[in-house]
Amino acid sequence: MDSTRVTEQPTSFERPQPGVDPADPRGAFLRSPAAGAGAALPAQGRSGAEPPAPGAVTAGGPAPDAADGPASEHSQPGAGPDAEPDAHRPRPAPDGIPVQPADGQGRVDRVPAGKERRTGQVARPGRPTPMRRDGDRLRFVGAATRRIARGIDLDEIVMGLCRATVPTFSDAILVYLRDPLPVGDERPTGPLVLRLRRTDRIPAERDTEGGGFMPIAPPEQPSELDSVGEELCTVRPGSALAEVLRGVRPVFTDAPAARAALPELLGEEGAAAVPDGQRAVLAPLRGRRRVIGAALFLRRPERIPFEADDLLVAAQLATHSALGIDKAVLYGREAYIADELQRTMLPETLPRCTGVRLASRYLPAAETARVGGDWYDAIPLPGSRVALVVGDVMGHSMTSAAIMGQLRTTAQTLAGLDLPPQEVLHHLDEQAQRLGVDRMATCLYAVYDPVAHRITVANAGHPPPVLLHLGGRAEVLRVPAGAPIGVGGVDFEAVELEAPAGATLLLYTDGLVESRLRDVWTGIEQLREKLAATAQLTGPDHPPPLEALCDEVLDMLGPGDRDDDIALLAARFDGIAPSDVAYWFLEPEDAAPGRARRLARRQLSRWGMDDLSDSVELLVSEVVTNAVRYASRPVTLRLLRTDVLRCEVGDDVPQLPRLRQARATDEGGRGLYLVNRLARRWGATRLSTGKVVWFELNHG
């Protein structure tokens, strides 16, 4: 929830009970668990309500008379002989402080048992005694703190405080929190600013047993509590509000210090709307180290005021809420750090590679623990190839995520060296052993060549990939299983397979196919069937859309199937047709640049791209000149026609060219400068046998 957003939520109510004014917003009965299933305490009467006449039905049940005998406090309301057969039985209300008699009847003083404290007269049956009220306060505090403690994040804790107190303890509540909230041991900077985080109050109307609505007050008489509260408040050092917050203890707002603090907190108009007397309690919210907010409990003018014991209740509510908010902020920061760690260790976007389209998904095992060891990657390689990687580090912790990040970085570095897939896994195995004992992971590394329409795959204990052919047939590729990364002392084997145009390769982690409800091979077979069924929907000549295919694959997960993180990488092989590829070998001699220009011009003419001839001739001449100057073996020149025109020049010199600004007296050093200015993109990649310098140009 946005911290700047103020929400006001109505509080749900129980249905009104027989014999009780349905307009009473407090609810008709507050049951006491200690008194048994049938025990009930009478509801607070409205201000000015007449006492029940003899024989009338009251909140505690029928009044005693000569025929019925004395009434029992364990009797059910409306259970007398004259009760209607279809009368609704009262539903139990939440544990809470029993509502007190209406204001104007005076306070209660201690008197001998069986007599009222305020008058000394014998208490009427069903009237709560002081001991019972104190017991219900304890039960209310227990129920309220349990409800507050159930919250995990900030909004849940604040909502728990509001819902626990309205209407059982107060008619309205305003919760102010520090903006911004300090985290842990952070020292706040700047002035203390309180922002109204949430308000809750009794609504103006509620449902009745008949299904209609009965207003508590006439529409022309709005409650003063509706106008209380301002969104933002700056606490000035040494002000009355600062003194009240520093005192930590809840106070009645009729106290001089609290009355002076209200205009600063609520504004002049809001302070004027606060009921007079002890009908409002201002409770500072103090976390482990500092005050982090304040809560204002309000009762309507027609209700009885708070009592001295209610300050203890408010103190308990404020303490539990503040500590819960403190922990929620810490938890939120840790969850944010973990989420950012996981997000930054996965690719934000997949690269656009020639001859292949990519899509991916990542699902954590649980929303509350979004860190794990699963990862995927797509790495462009020289020669328009692409490396497809998916891996899974054992465990679900920050350590697993950190190891995953190191292995992913190592895989990217090894891919940049253009090593064979089995060599990449071998070096990953060595890296995992250097990271420590029991650093185990599975990984599958595949290299797709769109020109040759081939894919080379090496596996280290990972589930095999699934290839979905254009006709709708799904095939589980037979690749050597291999040992997991981190075992050490094992060899990895690579296999080369056909990758026909239009086919889709699906790489995934075991969380997609394995759970407590099924083994891994059963899950792989279900995945294969799911892919085949999805392909049938689009027909044999059209592969399913890549993004929709990923969503369909994840839909195979049912309840209880999410035991592990899931990483999913899908690659649609478009390939590059042989007619769109031109390839030559050039001897490392002075005549090589001129020959490269003639070959490029002739090929562009065949492709109908004569408008690019001048630019391509200039750039090819510069790159080939740099290559033949130091090469000892034939130089390769390749042109690829896709959505762009790509030119690649390879030689056997491993040193990469470096762009620099040539001085006016220099004879050379301007070749890469021209490439950088005229090309759409350019780059250089080191190979195991040398390097490749490439550039791309847009064509109409």
Side-chain angles (χ1 to χ4, degrees):
M1 174 180 175
D2 187 0
S3 61
T4 62
R5 183 179 178 184
V6 179
T7 59
E8 177 175 339
Q9 299 290 339
T11 304
S12 58
F13 297 93
E14 305 293 339
R15 293 182 180 272
Q17 313 302 330
V20 180
D21 181 6
D24 187 355
R26 300 292 184 96
F29 289 91
L30 295 173
R31 292 186 176 275
S32 169
L41 297 176
Q44 170 182 323
R46 294 177 59 85
S47 178
E50 295 295 334
V57 178
T58 65
D65 54 26
D68 298 336
S72 170
E73 66 175 357
H74 298 281
S75 61
Q76 293 288 345
D82 297 334
E84 297 181 6
D86 59 344
H88 293 284
R89 295 174 61 87
R91 296 191 295 176
D95 294 340
I97 299 177
V99 290
Q100 305 300 323
D103 194 15
Q105 296 180 356
R107 296 182 61 84
V108 180
D109 299 325
R110 294 191 177 276
V111 294
K115 297 186 179 181
E116 290 189 336
R117 289 183 293 177
R118 84 171 61 86
T119 61
Q121 300 175 356
V122 177
R124 287 177 292 181
R127 179 66 58 84
T129 63
M131 184 178 298
R132 185 177 301 169
R133 289 197 299 270
D134 293 341
D136 278 352
R137 279 192 177 92
L138 293 177
R139 283 190 291 273
F140 165 73
V141 170
T145 52
R146 284 193 301 271
R147 185 166 191 172
I148 295 170
R150 283 198 297 264
I152 296 179
D153 59 21
L154 181 62
D155 293 327
E156 290 178 351
I157 293 174
V158 175
M159 181 184 294
L161 171 63
C162 295
R163 295 296 175 85
T165 55
V166 178
T168 309
F169 180 69
S170 62
D171 295 326
I173 182 175
L174 287 80
V175 180
Y176 285 84
L177 295 181
R178 191 166 191 154
D179 186 28
L181 279 168
V183 181
D185 297 332
E186 287 184 358
R187 290 185 175 274
T189 59
L192 172 59
V193 178
L194 298 180
R195 183 178 295 275
L196 183 59
R197 182 77 184 195
R198 188 180 182 90
T199 66
D200 209 351
R201 54 175 57 89
I202 296 177
E205 54 186 20
R206 62 185 175 94
D207 193 9
T208 62
E209 286 187 348
F213 291 90
M214 180 176 293
I216 290 179
E220 63 272 8
Q221 298 179 3
S223 171
E224 293 181 351
L225 302 185
D226 295 336
S227 60
V228 174
E230 284 193 355
E231 183 178 352
L232 205 61
C233 161
T234 301
V235 182
R236 300 184 304 273
S239 64
L241 179 58
E243 294 299 323
V244 171
L245 296 178
R246 188 179 298 115
V248 177
R249 298 179 180 275
V251 294
F252 293 121
T253 55
D254 63 347
R259 177 56 62 179
L262 285 180
E264 186 177 354
L265 180 65
L266 308 176
E268 295 294 340
E269 182 179 352
V274 174
D276 296 330
Q278 295 182 356
R279 291 186 174 86
V281 174
L282 180 58
L285 303 178
R286 180 176 178 83
R288 295 183 305 164
R289 299 182 182 276
R290 60 185 64 85
V291 173
I292 60 174
L296 183 63
F297 303 93
L298 301 166
R299 285 186 181 176
R300 298 179 186 269
E302 65 268 20
R303 305 300 175 193
I304 71 167
F306 290 104
E307 298 181 357
D309 290 341
D310 293 330
L311 292 179
L312 301 178
V313 175
Q316 287 293 320
L317 296 176
T319 299
H320 283 274
S321 300
L323 293 177
I325 291 171
D326 232 6
K327 294 178 181 179
V329 173
L330 284 173
Y331 169 78
R333 172 62 64 86
E334 292 179 358
Y336 171 78
I337 293 174
D339 188 58
E340 284 295 302
L341 174 65
Q342 185 74 43
R343 186 185 62 81
T344 54
M345 287 185 178
L346 294 174
E348 294 185 3
T349 57
L350 293 173
R352 296 185 59 185
C353 302
T354 303
V356 62
R357 285 174 286 172
L358 303 171
S360 63
R361 295 290 187 273
Y362 177 81
L363 293 179
E367 289 297 326
T368 55
R370 302 193 61 177
V371 291
D374 293 21
W375 90 91
Y376 61 89
D377 218 336
I379 308 168
L381 299 178
S384 299
R385 296 171 300 151
V386 59
L388 307 173
V389 190
V390 64
D392 182 6
V393 177
M394 296 182 182
H396 303 279
S397 63
M398 298 288 286
T399 302
S400 300
I403 296 173
M404 178 268 287
Q406 296 182 66
L407 292 180
R408 177 175 178 244
T409 302
T410 303
Q412 288 179 329
T413 304
L414 296 172
L417 299 176
D418 198 28
L419 297 179
Q422 65 272 22
E423 290 296 325
V424 172
L425 294 184
H426 175 73
H427 288 293
L428 284 177
D429 180 61
E430 292 180 339
Q431 175 67 12
Q433 295 179 63
R434 284 192 292 267
L435 294 177
V437 183
D438 297 333
R439 303 306 189 196
M440 306 284 289
T442 63
C443 181
L444 191 141
Y445 189 95
V447 176
Y448 170 63
D449 188 343
V451 176
H453 296 271
R454 306 283 292 180
I455 184 169
T456 305
V457 184
N459 191 11
H462 204 78
V466 180
L467 184 65
L468 178 63
H469 292 269
L470 183 59
R473 180 174 64 92
E475 173 190 7
V476 179
L477 298 184
R478 296 184 177 181
V479 297
I485 290 174
V487 173
V490 296
D491 293 330
F492 299 98
E493 183 180 353
V495 295
E496 187 174 344
L497 305 170
E498 291 286 342
T504 304
L505 184 69
L506 198 72
L507 287 74
Y508 52 90
T509 55
D510 58 356
L512 179 65
V513 295
E514 186 180 19
S515 69
R516 290 171 294 180
L517 305 179
R518 60 185 177 186
D519 61 85
V520 60
W521 290 109
T522 301
I524 292 175
E525 180 61 23
Q526 292 178 358
L527 173 61
R528 188 193 65 79
E529 295 174 354
K530 182 69 173 180
L531 290 174
T534 304
Q536 296 298 327
L537 300 177
T538 57
D541 300 330
H542 299 86
L546 207 55
E547 296 291 342
L549 181 64
C550 292
D551 294 335
E552 287 293 329
V553 168
L554 295 180
D555 285 343
M556 66 178 283
L557 299 172
D561 285 354
R562 292 283 303 281
D563 298 334
D564 198 357
D565 304 331
I566 297 174
L568 179 66
L569 179 63
R572 172 72 43 77
F573 299 144
D574 294 332
I576 300 176
S579 60
D580 293 329
V581 180
Y583 193 87
W584 303 280
F585 288 94
L586 304 174
E587 291 296 330
E589 55 188 13
D590 295 340
R595 183 168 179 244
R597 289 194 297 269
R598 291 191 300 270
L599 293 173
R601 185 189 311 114
R602 190 179 306 146
Q603 187 62 43
L604 292 177
S605 178
R606 293 193 188 102
W607 286 341
M609 304 171 65
D610 297 290
D611 55 329
L612 296 179
S613 294
D614 294 339
S615 299
V616 172
E617 286 186 44
L618 175 61
L619 299 184
V620 165
S621 178
E622 293 293 339
V623 176
V624 171
T625 299
N626 289 337
V628 300
R629 179 176 299 176
Y630 306 102
S632 58
R633 296 180 181 180
V635 175
T636 60
L637 172 63
R638 185 165 73 167
L639 296 180
L640 301 172
R641 181 182 62 172
T642 57
D643 55 339
V644 297
L645 178 67
R646 181 182 178 97
C647 177
E648 299 174 350
V649 177
D651 58 62
D652 61 345
V653 180
Q655 285 77 17
L656 298 180
R658 180 170 52 91
L659 179 65
R660 63 185 180 88
Q661 187 71 36
R663 294 173 296 183
T665 57
D666 291 342
E667 295 183 0
R670 296 175 178 84
L672 287 182
Y673 179 77
L674 292 175
V675 174
N676 185 61
R677 292 297 300 269
L678 297 179
R680 172 180 175 267
R681 290 195 311 156
W682 78 279
T685 306
R686 182 179 285 110
L687 305 177
S688 57
T689 57
K691 68 175 180 295
V692 168
V693 179
W694 57 269
F695 62 86
E696 293 177 351
L697 293 173
N698 292 322
H699 61 79

